[in-house]
Amino acid sequence: MSPSPLSSNLHLLRVASSSLASSSRRRRRRKSRLTFDGSKVKSSNKEEDDIVNDDILDAYKIPSTTVVTLPGNDTIEIRLLDPYTIAITPYENREEGLSRLLMYIEGENESKERYPPTQPLTMRYALDSDGEILGKTMELYLGPRVNPETNPAAKTTENTKTISAKVAGGELIAVMPLVGMATEDAVRRCRDIIAEEVEKTKAFELDGAGFRVSTFGPMYSLRPRDNEVSVKVTPKTKESSK
């Protein structure tokens, strides 16, 4: 059975993106000593600093590829998320959820394993049929070293028992940046815009069961952070488009 045009295109997109990323970083480097100051990797070769940190930051981002920018609205992207492992916990308030996640990634687990402070911090909101929030979860990507088969995430302790490790991704999402504070009203407005614009394409079905808010930047800071609102989408088949 031959692959669908969509799967073929996504495969080609992955290969092309990987090739572009590799070629942009394939630079001759002098040997140097690397140090870590708790927030940034530093090199004894100053010319390497930006390159090294770009590589490391890229490794700690959720692996995704932009598939397409929606026609008529270049702020909304359809992204393909490759599978990745997360630590996830239910929560009521942001500080509660963040505290649990940080305890876990900083070694409060059975094997005392420490995980990198990845970006972004993502909150998922489950909705009922009327659009009311049923529950919330908060999650962090555990980094590229974690693999469910060869290097699974560490088991939790009594203090972190609400956390579970699971594989996320392997899906398409519609993403829109959120300028300003990520209040519930602002997030819902973004979600409504995403729904309207995705519907106009007649190419994707929007998941009405929830949405996500991803926050980039220092977790404990009064400075403005970059936010994104996203919703899962699936390509429409010929039958569903009728």
Side-chain angles (χ1 to χ4, degrees), residues 2-75:
S2 59
S4 68
L6 177 66
S7 62
S8 298
N9 288 342
L10 294 184
H11 173 70
L12 290 174
L13 194 62
R14 282 175 171 164
V15 173
S17 298
S18 177
S19 299
L20 286 172
S22 297
S23 63
S24 67
R25 293 178 188 143
R26 198 175 295 131
R27 306 177 186 178
R28 186 178 298 275
R29 301 180 184 177
R30 297 196 303 271
K31 290 185 178 180
S32 59
R33 180 174 53 84
L34 301 181
T35 59
F36 185 66
D37 69 359
S39 61
K40 186 175 182 180
V41 175
K42 295 182 177 180
S43 169
S44 59
N45 174 4
K46 291 184 178 179
E47 293 178 357
E48 274 192 341
D49 274 347
D50 291 339
I51 299 173
V52 170
N53 282 286
D54 284 346
D55 286 349
I56 291 173
L57 289 175
D58 284 347
Y60 290 163
K61 290 177 183 175
I62 292 172
S64 67
T65 300
T66 299
V67 177
V68 67
T69 299
L70 290 190
N73 192 323
D74 58 7
T75 63

Side-chain angles (χ1 to χ4, degrees), residues 6-7 20 35 46-47 52 62-63 65 72 77-78 94 96 158-159 169 183 195-197 199 219:
L6 177 66
S7 62
L20 286 172
T35 59
K46 291 184 178 179
E47 293 178 357
V52 170
I62 292 172
T65 300
E77 297 177 341
I78 303 295
R94 186 178 187 277
E96 169 199 0
E158 182 66 23
N159 292 332
T183 63
E196 292 171 9
E197 296 299 325
E199 178 60 28
M219 294 180 185

Side-chain angles (χ1 to χ4, degrees), residues 87-105 121-123 136-140 159-160 162-163 219-220:
I88 185 170
T89 182
Y91 74 101
E92 290 297 326
N93 62 70
R94 186 178 187 277
E95 289 72 22
E96 169 199 0
L98 186 53
S99 175
R100 291 176 188 165
L101 287 175
L102 290 180
M103 284 177 63
Y104 177 79
I105 70 170
L121 176 70
T122 298
M123 286 70 70
K136 302 181 292 185
T137 58
M138 181 180 289
E139 67 196 55
L140 280 171
N159 292 332
T160 54
T162 65
I163 290 175
M219 294 180 185
Y220 289 114

Side-chain angles (χ1 to χ4, degrees), residues 69-71 78 195-205 236:
T69 299
L70 290 190
I78 303 295
E196 292 171 9
E197 296 299 325
V198 167
E199 178 60 28
K200 289 178 185 177
T201 69
K202 301 187 183 302
F204 300 97
E205 295 278 1
K236 285 185 176 180

